[in-house]
């Protein structure tokens, strides 16, 4: 069964029409990349998936179940992990508390789950060192790792990653890339990635290219031609 | 020296009331950005709850436990103000979310309604109404956990509300027939009499500490400690802090922000109720009693900074002590041979309302120099 499927998503900000008839799908264990220049509507699409924005029309299905009427927290519990652009770490909570909050998406939430799975520290060892520190005091790269770890602790079926390497130094980009790869291999979850780094984009199985709020090209990343890259990535 | 100590003690007692109430106000403001002008009236409800509880404990069956009524009253006041606060959030504030000005006006309107309510509705009926509301809201939650299935949801709700209404009406009529004082509406102030163990004082170092005020300080201490524990250590505390700091992301993580709002508003309002118990022990209780504390609460919140416990504690005690020093004209007693002009100025401000004016002016001046209050938030996050 398809993990994520959207049909004709149309999202507006007030009267301005941002997303136009987006059809997209992600399979289990698949990594799909959404590319496009700044301001075309990639973040808007991810926000429509998690429920922060309500599409004016269209349908979203997770494993065949409609998410249309659900609020963000219900979608999180249904199995969507969201790592937003800008990371959105809860600033005055400690790293440990931020991680704990990741488990709110599990059945029973924090009340039933109080132990942080140590596999998180395997992937991002730096987090163990900073458990007692305030989330807002971490560096950008550390916050990004924390945001991904937090989303993973909810055992999502689908992980939404919005420009996880934006403004991060190259060696941490590498860490994050291999971490995402490893998660897909070990947990078999689907990943929808919004990304500008070509190297990371090439890790994905398929791509969708977006222009002015619509999908204008799609295919296997192995077939991603230089023309498409020049057209849709701002590098 | 003794005089100073005595004045400090009185100031701390007044500050304690401000502290509990301001804590509730600040929690709600921090979470939802809502300034609840009806907070003072929630205190008033707490004070009236104490009064009713006390009268109920005078009934023959409960008379043996009369000495313990204050403890029961704290729980009752917390519940009563909490339920009314939740109702206020559900019915009014929720709809005005993101419109601070409208919220301000609406909650002010609610405060007038509540004042009129205690004037024109017999207290017994008010008590019945609140019990009905409490049961109506709680029963479905408890029952649906028992049956789990949602199929009977509607019947459970309907059933609970009818049971709740029935019990409410029975309580109202029972109370009004057995306690004649609260069977008729009255706008007059009422007095709560402290149980015998709370009358009198404890003598130490030649000073008499009134027991009521000691009790108020203890109540405050317990409230502050439990709120701190709750916010910092409990699961719901983590959720509340998360929603306070980043509502939409908390939602995306799987936290039901609606439930957090209800709970927080309930606790913030419940604290107003507990403050109301203290108010009733300090003086007589009337429909306007909330208004005389609410300004002080706002001053504490502004001065201490929202979400800053130490700031709130220091601010409320300073305001409490200043109120006592200036308002009761104690400066003159402490320093009798003050030069003439100064003495007459001090004398001029030596009433409760003039003291309030002076403190308000002092705070405005203070904020000119430190706009973020006593302890501004520091760190990386603030610049971002
Ligand atoms: N809150 C908002 N109100 C109105 N318009 C908005 C809002 N947020 C974004 N937009 C507009 O919607 C369009 C799409 O924005 P979006 O953030 O989805 O772009 P993006 O593809 O994620 O860009 P980037 O690569 O810079 O992150 C932009 O033209 C933007 O100006
Ligand atoms: Mg974006």
């Amino acid at each position: 069964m398809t993990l994520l499927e959207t049909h004709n998503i149309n999202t507006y900000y007030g009267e301005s029409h941002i997303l136009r008839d987006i059809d997209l799908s992600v399979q289990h264990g698949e990594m799909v990349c959404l590319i496009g220049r700044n301001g075309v509507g990639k973040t808007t699409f991810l926000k429509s998936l998690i429920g922060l924005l309500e599409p004016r029309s269209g349908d979203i299905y997770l494993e065949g179940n409609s998410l249309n009427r659900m609020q963000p927290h219900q979608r999180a519990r249904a199995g969507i992990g969201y790592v937003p652009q800008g990371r959105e770490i809860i600033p005055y909570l400690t790293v440990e508390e931020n991680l704990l909050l990741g488990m709110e998406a599990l059945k029973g939430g924090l009340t039933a789950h109080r132990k942080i799975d140590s596999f998180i520290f395997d992937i991002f060892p730096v987090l163990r060192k900073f458990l007692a520190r305030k989330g807002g005091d971490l560096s950008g790269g550390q916050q990004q790792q924390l945001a991904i770890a937090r989303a993973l602790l909810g055992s999502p079926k689908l992980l939404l990653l919005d420009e996880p390497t934006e403004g991060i130094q190259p060696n941490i980009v590498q860490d994050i890339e291999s971490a995402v790869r490893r998660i897909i291999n070990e947990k078999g979850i689907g990943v929808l990635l919004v990304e500008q780094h070509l190297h990371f984009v090439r890790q994905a199985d398929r791509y969708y290219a977006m222009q002015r709020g619509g999908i204008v090209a799609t295919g296997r990343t192995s077939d991603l031609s230089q023309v498409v890259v020049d057209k849709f990535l701002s590098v | 020296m003794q005089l100073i100590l005595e004045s400090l003690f009185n100031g701390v007692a007044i500050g304690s009331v401000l502290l509990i109430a301001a804590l509730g106000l600040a929690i709600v403001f921090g979470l939802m950005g809502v300034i609840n002008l009806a907070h003072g009236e929630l205190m008033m409800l707490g004070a009236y709850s104490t009064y009713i509880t006390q009268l109920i404990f005078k009934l023959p069956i409960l008379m043996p436990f009369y000495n313990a009524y204050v403890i029961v009253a704290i729980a009752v006041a917390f519940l009563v103000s909490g339920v009314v606060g939740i109702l206020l959030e559900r019915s009014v504030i929720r709809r005005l979310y993101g419109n601070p000005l409208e919220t301000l006006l609406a909650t002010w309107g609610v405060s007038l309604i509540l004042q009129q309510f205690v004037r024109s509705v017999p207290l017994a009926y008010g008590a019945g109404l609140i019990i009905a509301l409490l049961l109506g809201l709680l029963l479905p939650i408890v029952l649906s956990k028992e049956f789990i299935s949602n199929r009977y949801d509607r019947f459970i709700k309907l059933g609970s509300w009818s049971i709740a209404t029935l019990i409410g009406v029975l309580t109202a009529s029972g109370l009004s027939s057995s306690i004649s004082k609260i069977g008729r509406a009255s706008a007059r102030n009422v007095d709560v009499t402290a149980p015998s163990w709370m009358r009198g004082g404890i003598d130490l170092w030649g000073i008499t500490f009134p027991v009521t005020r000691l009790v108020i300080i203890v109540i405050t201490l317990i409230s502050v400690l439990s709120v701190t524990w709750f916010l910092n250590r409990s699961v719901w505390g983590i959720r509340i802090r998360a929603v306070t700091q980043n509502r939409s992301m908390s939602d995306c993580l799987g936290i039901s922000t609606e439930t957090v709002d209800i709970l927080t508003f309930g606790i913030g309002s419940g604290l107003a109720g507990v403050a109301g118990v203290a108010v009733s022990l300090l003086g007589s209780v009337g429909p306007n009693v909330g208004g005389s504390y609410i300004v002080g609460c706002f001053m504490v919140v502004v001065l201490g900074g929202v979400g800053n416990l130490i700031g709130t504690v220091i601010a409320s005690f300073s305001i409490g002590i200043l109120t006592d020093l200036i308002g009761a004209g104690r400066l003159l007693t402490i320093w009798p041979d003050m030069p003439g002009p100064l003495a007459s100025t001090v004398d001029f401000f030596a009433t409760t309302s003039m003291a309030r004016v002076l403190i308000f002016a002092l705070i405005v001046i203070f904020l000119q120099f430190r706009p973020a209050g006593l302890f501004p938030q520091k760190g990386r996050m603030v610049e971002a």
Side-chain angles (χ1 to χ4, degrees), chain A residues 13 16 18 36-45 85 163 196:
Chain A
Y13 278 117
S16 59
I18 306 292
R37 300 262 170 158
N38 290 129
V40 295
K42 305 179 298 290
T43 299
T44 307
F45 180 62
Q85 192 170 17
E163 309 214 15
Q196 302 276 359

Side-chain angles (χ1 to χ4, degrees), chain A residues 50 52 72 76 81-84 87-90 98 101 147 150-151, chain B residues 242-243 245-255 257:
Chain A
I50 189 67
L52 285 176
Y82 179 49
V83 180
R87 310 176 262 270
E88 313 271 329
I89 296 303
I90 316 284
N98 268 286
L101 283 178
R150 181 177 68 180
Chain B
V243 175
Q245 293 170 40
N246 191 335
R247 176 172 289 267
S248 58
M249 191 61 218
S250 304
D251 201 353
C252 294
L253 287 171
I255 301 174
T257 51

Side-chain angles (χ1 to χ4, degrees), chain B residues 45-81:
Chain B
L45 289 184
Y48 272 106
S49 306
T50 317
Y51 176 66
I52 296 175
T53 311
Q54 180 221 340
L55 290 182
I56 292 175
F57 270 78
K58 275 199 178 141
L59 292 177
I61 355 161
L62 286 171
M63 200 57 200
F65 311 104
Y66 184 75
N67 278 337
Y69 88 80
V70 176
I71 295 160
V72 178
I74 293 173
V76 171
F78 186 87
L79 278 179
V80 168
S81 301

Side-chain angles (χ1 to χ4, degrees), chain A residues 10-19 44 53-57:
Chain A
N10 282 280
T11 303
Y12 292 69
Y13 278 117
E15 277 316 300
S16 59
H17 194 167
I18 306 292
L19 295 182
T44 307
L53 294 172
E54 195 185 344
R56 201 169 285 184
S57 66

Side-chain angles (χ1 to χ4, degrees), chain B residues 37-287:
Chain B
L37 281 185
H39 202 69
E41 276 58 43
L42 294 173
M43 285 169 83
M44 170 204 60
L45 289 184
Y48 272 106
S49 306
T50 317
Y51 176 66
I52 296 175
T53 311
Q54 180 221 340
L55 290 182
I56 292 175
F57 270 78
K58 275 199 178 141
L59 292 177
I61 355 161
L62 286 171
M63 200 57 200
F65 311 104
Y66 184 75
N67 278 337
Y69 88 80
V70 176
I71 295 160
V72 178
I74 293 173
V76 171
F78 186 87
L79 278 179
V80 168
S81 301
V83 165
V84 175
I86 288 173
L87 220 64
L88 172 66
E89 195 268 341
R90 302 265 78 194
S91 56
V92 180
I93 292 175
R94 163 130 312 205
R95 288 162 218 278
L96 297 173
Y97 197 60
N99 303 314
L101 220 57
E102 280 87 336
T103 313
L104 220 57
L105 278 176
T107 50
W108 183 55
V110 169
S111 78
L112 296 182
I113 293 174
L114 286 176
Q115 286 181 19
Q116 196 53 42
F117 181 85
V118 294
R119 279 197 201 102
S120 47
V121 175
L123 289 177
Y125 294 4
L129 180 65
I130 298 225
I131 285 178
L133 285 174
L134 190 66
L135 286 176
L137 290 174
L138 275 182
L139 273 181
I141 300 175
V142 177
L143 289 180
S144 68
K145 274 218 182 91
E146 295 281 309
F147 295 117
I148 297 166
S149 135
N150 286 329
R151 229 173 336 144
Y152 305 112
D153 224 32
R154 219 180 251 176
F155 296 106
I156 291 177
K157 271 210 175 119
L158 195 71
S160 341
W161 278 108
S162 10
I163 294 173
T165 315
L166 188 69
I167 295 181
V169 170
L170 287 180
T171 316
S173 57
L175 279 179
S176 60
S177 61
S178 52
I179 307 172
S180 60
K181 268 189 197 165
I182 54 176
R184 251 169 291 110
S186 140
R188 247 178 286 144
N189 279 15
V190 294
D191 280 299
V192 172
T193 40
S196 54
W197 61 274
M198 275 173 62
R199 287 182 219 133
I202 295 175
D203 290 303
L204 264 185
W205 310 300
I207 311 166
T208 316
F209 295 100
V211 179
T212 22
R213 301 199 166 203
L214 279 174
V215 170
I216 290 174
I217 293 172
V218 170
I219 293 175
T220 310
L221 204 67
I222 295 173
S223 314
V224 172
L225 287 180
S226 21
V227 168
T228 320
W229 177 86
F230 180 77
L231 285 181
N232 287 315
R233 290 274 168 274
S234 74
V235 169
W236 280 104
I238 298 183
R239 290 180 184 136
I240 291 176
R241 282 182 294 144
V243 175
T244 304
Q245 293 170 40
N246 191 335
R247 176 172 289 267
S248 58
M249 191 61 218
S250 304
D251 201 353
C252 294
L253 287 171
I255 301 174
S256 161
T257 51
E258 205 167 300
T259 317
V260 167
D261 287 347
I262 295 176
L263 187 76
T264 313
F265 221 91
I267 290 174
S269 310
L271 282 173
V274 176
V277 178
V279 166
S280 74
L281 294 175
L282 280 177
S284 70
V285 176

Side-chain angles (χ1 to χ4, degrees), chain A residues 37 198 202 224-233 235:
Chain A
R37 300 262 170 158
L198 183 57
R202 290 220 182 269
L224 200 57
S225 69
Q226 197 56 43
V227 185
V228 176
V229 168
D230 289 342
K231 198 163 167 204
F232 296 110
L233 289 182
V235 273

